[in-house]
Amino acid sequence: MSENRDIAKQVVAAVGGKDNISSFAHCATRLRIMVHDQDLIDQERVENIDKVKGAFLNSGQYQIIFGTGTVNRIFEEVEKLGITGTTKEDLKGQSKKQGNAFQRSIRTFGDVFVPIIPVLVATGLFMGLRGLLTQEQILSLFGMTANDIPANFLLFTEVLTDTAFAFLPALVAWSAFRVFGGSPVLGIVLGLMLVNPALPNAYSVANGSAEALTMLGFIPVVGYQGSVLPAFFVGLLGAKFEKMLRKRVPEALDLIVTPFITLLVMITLGLFVIGPIFHSFEEWVLHGTTFILGLPFGIAGLVIGFFNQIIVVTGVHHIFNFLEIQLLEQLGNNPFNAMVTSAMAAQGAACLAVGLKTKNAKLKALALPSSFSAFLGITEPAIFGVNLRYMRPFVMGLIGGAIGGFLASLFGLAATGMAITVIPGTLLYLNNQLPMYILCNVIAMAVAFTLTWLFGYKDKMTEELQAASAASQQPAGGQTASASSGIVTADAIKTSANEPTLVMQIPSPVSGKIIPLEEVPDPAFAQKHMGEGYAIEPLEGKVYAPFDGVVAHIMEKSKHAVILVHESGLQLLIHVGLNTVSLKGAGFATHVQTGDRVKEGQLLIDFDLDAIHKAGLSTITPVIIPSDAEQVAGVVANGNGKPVTANKDAVMTVQFKTE
């Protein structure tokens, strides 16, 4: 669709252009972008793009929320612009050094568990359907009782509901090997070894019907059915051990020796060291979790319902995957899900209240679908797109979530699975819990909606936010244009919009031949996604300041681009070469820093033309006025095809609005 193509172009331009994108990928709801320079991201411009439901930086990634389905189409259109996408794993590898140690470890933990969640979701749904079909009320509709259910049917349902948890270590070890760079097939085999039928079954040992093996007289050995941490650390250490071996084993022997040694060493460690240690740790975690969930008077639900969505904002909520898996495999149910669901439903209701109350068409168009997304279990569009912008709706949602979580805890609700919530989550409560599940969510939504409607939002808040944003873009001193440096004394002229303007002529910052922007071999510039202007084929490797102003930003590492701000507030981007960010500063030298005041004619950047050419890159240098410059009525580039001298020949005329 051309609409999605236009959105993709706007996204690329708003995050600093093609050259500022290191890599990008997408998940279920978000376009995830790694940029070279975060300062080049225009946050407001991104948020004003159609279909964008919110955008934020998290652990080194710039994440733009489009919602399910839409994000896939936008991703495809961005790829069509000539920007190579990456896998989420590759993108996470680039950002793994971002954030503190805790955030990095939780992110890695999430990387391992997220791929296996769909299987656990399906298992939970199977459990819910079995619970529904075996209810006395349902059986009575067919004139049956529990004794009439065929044994083979029950066996079939056990295959559906028990397989994933019985072989969970194989799934975890496979995913860990994949994330940490090992051979996933070795991970599967190691995981299966941990649950080999020759070992005493963990569930049988737990209920006393079997005894653990004793190795070396003191090491207890059992199967690890349903365990997570032993398989996780076997996968982590096994992948790193395999990679180390491959560097040392001769290529002729690698196919035989590396898998043999990896499996032998890691299953020995897994059964005798890693397994006993981390299985015990799992039991401590489970006991701690069940203690909190078992607190009287609904305290657990009150706390979890309030704080859950705050934790989602921090981006470390994947830790809960481990807890929910533990609850399901040990207890057979998941009380955490109902409390979290109330928190999510409440945020959706707060967003819905904003959408119904506001008279702002754009906000309404954003809030209503975002609230529906939250009711389907994805709250990021509602949180980042609406509730957090105005803060009060977010707080009202937290209060509603606390009330709903309190009731869920008080009623003892427990899901048969995990990872689906709110409306889809009803399938996890078909075993006689559905009415109470609905009641808890409706009350959470009602509280959040009512509080937001009464106290959480007024259209005045939107007006104030827009006014503050507009004020931040106004030039210093509140002037739209100045009659000093660069302003040509002229009578007011009329634009096509019949608006009076002042005129500013800007000399070329580089000596060379002028090229129309449309002829630049880079769609981000040629199609003017970045803004209006022209380009220069340089004759010498020097960039000078074309007017008095301030260095708003200079690329400190790559040194290939600079943004200047004139005292009128006008911004000018000078981008030396195409894709030259890949040189990482080689062949470039800067003579100013961000924040420096500069005079017209002052040397800003030196660059080596030969070095750029030898790298196979173009030296064509775009000179751009951003397309979102509200004080500009028009831009005209002159002298196409003609040679110009830096700071001597004026090649750009800017028309300023006076209103």
Side-chain angles (χ1 to χ4, degrees):
M1 290 178 61
S2 59
E3 180 185 14
N4 289 332
R5 189 177 307 119
D6 291 340
I7 291 173
K9 292 175 181 178
Q10 293 176 51
V11 167
V12 172
V15 299
K18 180 178 178 180
D19 283 355
N20 196 39
I21 297 176
S22 170
S23 56
F24 74 103
H26 72 90
C27 59
T29 60
R30 313 174 192 179
L31 193 65
R32 298 169 176 263
I33 304 174
M34 289 293 294
V35 297
H36 296 290
D37 191 336
Q38 296 176 0
D39 292 339
L40 294 182
I41 297 173
D42 188 333
Q43 178 72 17
E44 182 179 2
R45 187 175 177 187
V46 172
E47 291 178 345
N48 286 326
I49 296 173
D50 191 26
K51 296 187 181 181
V52 169
K53 299 177 180 179
F56 59 97
L57 278 164
N58 182 33
S59 299
Q61 293 181 9
Y62 189 62
Q63 303 181 12
I64 305 177
I65 303 168
F66 285 101
T68 54
T70 302
V71 69
N72 303 69
R73 296 180 175 86
I74 301 300
F75 177 83
E76 292 170 358
E77 294 298 336
V78 173
E79 283 192 313
K80 291 177 183 178
L81 295 177
I83 304 173
T84 304
T86 64
T87 65
K88 284 187 286 185
E89 287 72 29
D90 292 337
L91 188 64
K92 288 166 183 172
Q94 294 184 41
S95 63
K96 65 183 180 180
K97 295 184 179 179
Q98 301 288 339
N100 58 45
F102 179 70
Q103 289 175 319
R104 293 197 301 269
S105 62
I106 295 302
R107 186 165 59 244
T108 301
F109 208 64
D111 292 345
V112 171
F113 286 102
V114 166
I116 67 177
I117 285 178
V119 174
L120 302 181
V121 169
T123 297
L125 295 180
F126 289 141
M127 290 179 178
L129 289 173
R130 181 173 66 178
L132 176 66
L133 294 175
T134 56
Q135 286 181 32
E136 292 184 3
Q137 298 91 327
I138 301 298
L139 291 172
S140 64
L141 297 176
F142 301 95
M144 299 173 62
T145 66
N147 295 327
D148 296 323
I149 301 176
N152 288 341
F153 175 77
L154 292 177
L155 177 63
F156 174 67
T157 61
E158 287 178 5
V159 171
L160 291 174
T161 59
D162 296 355
T163 301
F165 286 101
F167 296 98
L168 185 60
L171 301 177
V172 174
W174 159 78
S175 188
F177 260 76
R178 178 187 57 83
V179 168
F180 295 109
S183 301
V185 67
L186 294 182
I188 292 176
V189 173
L190 280 170
L192 290 174
M193 286 180 174
L194 292 174
V195 294
N196 191 295
L199 297 172
N201 185 284
Y203 299 120
S204 299
V205 172
N207 62 30
S209 62
E211 292 184 1
L213 298 176
T214 301
M215 294 292 187
L216 303 178
F218 69 96
I219 301 176
V221 175
V222 299
Y224 292 97
Q225 289 81 4
S227 287
V228 173
L229 289 183
F232 175 86
F233 284 100
V234 165
L236 186 159
L237 297 175
K240 294 185 178 297
F241 182 61
E242 181 200 357
K243 289 166 66 178
M244 182 272 290
L245 285 178
R246 292 197 184 280
K247 294 179 181 179
R248 291 164 173 77
V249 175
E251 291 185 7
L253 301 175
D254 180 61
L255 182 63
I256 299 173
V257 173
T258 300
F260 173 78
I261 296 178
T262 300
L263 291 175
L264 176 61
V265 171
M266 292 314 304
I267 194 56
T268 303
L269 290 175
L271 290 177
F272 300 156
V273 181
I274 297 173
I277 292 174
F278 286 102
H279 184 61
S280 298
F281 180 74
E282 275 186 336
E283 292 182 343
W284 298 339
V285 172
L286 180 64
H287 291 325
T289 303
T290 53
F291 172 77
I292 293 173
L293 292 174
L295 290 174
F297 313 117
I299 294 175
L302 193 69
V303 174
I304 293 172
F306 183 86
F307 285 103
N308 174 260
Q309 292 300 290
I310 297 177
I311 295 172
V312 168
V313 172
T314 68
V316 298
H317 53 291
H318 291 303
I319 188 65
F320 297 132
N321 294 334
F322 163 63
L323 297 177
E324 291 185 82
I325 291 172
Q326 286 295 100
L327 290 170
L328 284 168
E329 64 94 3
Q330 292 288 347
L331 306 181
N333 56 52
N334 178 12
F336 190 80
N337 179 273
M339 304 172 193
V340 170
T341 287
S342 295
M344 301 173 77
Q347 289 296 328
C351 183
L352 178 63
V354 173
L356 294 178
K357 188 174 184 180
T358 184
K359 296 179 181 178
N360 183 292
K362 181 173 177 60
L363 179 57
K364 187 181 290 289
L366 172 63
L368 295 180
S370 295
S371 64
F372 181 67
S373 176
F375 297 145
L376 293 178
I378 301 173
T379 56
E380 285 92 336
I383 291 175
F384 294 106
V386 179
N387 295 355
L388 270 180
R389 283 188 183 182
Y390 303 100
M391 187 50 72
R392 287 185 185 179
F394 182 67
V395 174
M396 303 309 171
L398 296 180
I399 296 172
I403 300 300
F406 166 75
L407 293 174
S409 179
L410 212 58
F411 297 148
L413 290 179
T416 59
M418 61 177 288
I420 55 174
T421 51
V422 200
I423 295 176
T426 55
L427 296 172
L428 303 181
Y429 296 86
L430 298 177
N431 52 355
N432 293 316
Q433 299 184 94
L434 189 57
M436 299 309 298
Y437 173 81
I438 294 174
L439 177 64
C440 291
N441 281 282
V442 168
I443 291 176
M445 293 165 60
V447 171
F449 184 94
T450 303
L451 290 177
T452 302
W453 187 278
L454 296 177
F455 312 110
Y457 177 79
K458 296 180 180 179
D459 271 338
K460 184 179 179 181
M461 295 166 65
T462 299
E463 296 169 2
E464 291 173 349
L465 196 63
Q466 292 175 340
S469 175
S472 67
Q473 295 187 0
Q474 289 298 318
Q479 297 179 351
T480 312
S482 169
S484 61
S485 175
I487 295 292
V488 175
T489 303
D491 294 333
I493 64 173
K494 300 288 183 178
T495 67
S496 59
N498 217 32
E499 296 177 342
T501 66
L502 292 176
V503 177
M504 175 181 177
Q505 291 184 338
I506 303 176
S508 172
V510 179
S511 296
K513 185 178 73 171
I514 300 299
I515 298 174
L517 204 57
E518 295 83 356
E519 297 179 12
V520 174
D522 185 314
F525 291 111
Q527 298 176 25
K528 301 184 179 179
H529 305 315
M530 303 285 289
E532 187 62 78
Y534 62 97
I536 306 172
E537 182 65 66
L539 293 177
E540 67 171 349
K542 295 184 182 296
V543 178
Y544 299 93
F547 49 68
D548 295 352
V550 175
V551 178
H553 185 78
I554 192 162
M555 303 285 279
E556 295 180 359
K557 294 183 179 179
S558 59
K559 306 176 183 178
H560 75 293
V562 61
I563 299 175
L564 300 178
V565 179
H566 185 265
E567 64 181 30
S568 66
L570 178 74
Q571 290 190 355
L572 185 73
L573 166 66
I574 306 167
H575 191 287
V576 180
L578 304 177
N579 297 318
T580 45
V581 67
S582 61
L583 295 177
K584 299 180 180 179
F588 287 83
T590 56
H591 299 278
V592 291
Q593 297 179 340
T594 299
D596 286 354
R597 297 197 66 84
V598 295
K599 292 289 186 180
E600 181 177 344
Q602 183 174 339
L603 181 62
L604 305 177
I605 300 174
D606 275 315
F607 57 97
D608 189 332
L609 291 168
D610 291 336
I612 296 174
H613 286 304
K614 287 179 181 178
L617 302 174
S618 172
T619 58
I620 291 177
T621 298
V623 181
I624 303 293
I625 290 179
S627 56
D628 60 352
E630 295 184 357
Q631 73 269 47
V632 174
V635 177
V636 178
N638 305 310
N640 291 337
K642 297 181 180 179
V644 294
T645 302
N647 292 100
K648 185 175 181 181
D649 299 316
V651 294
M652 179 185 287
T653 301
V654 179
Q655 300 172 345
F656 286 93
K657 297 176 183 177
T658 57
E659 296 182 347

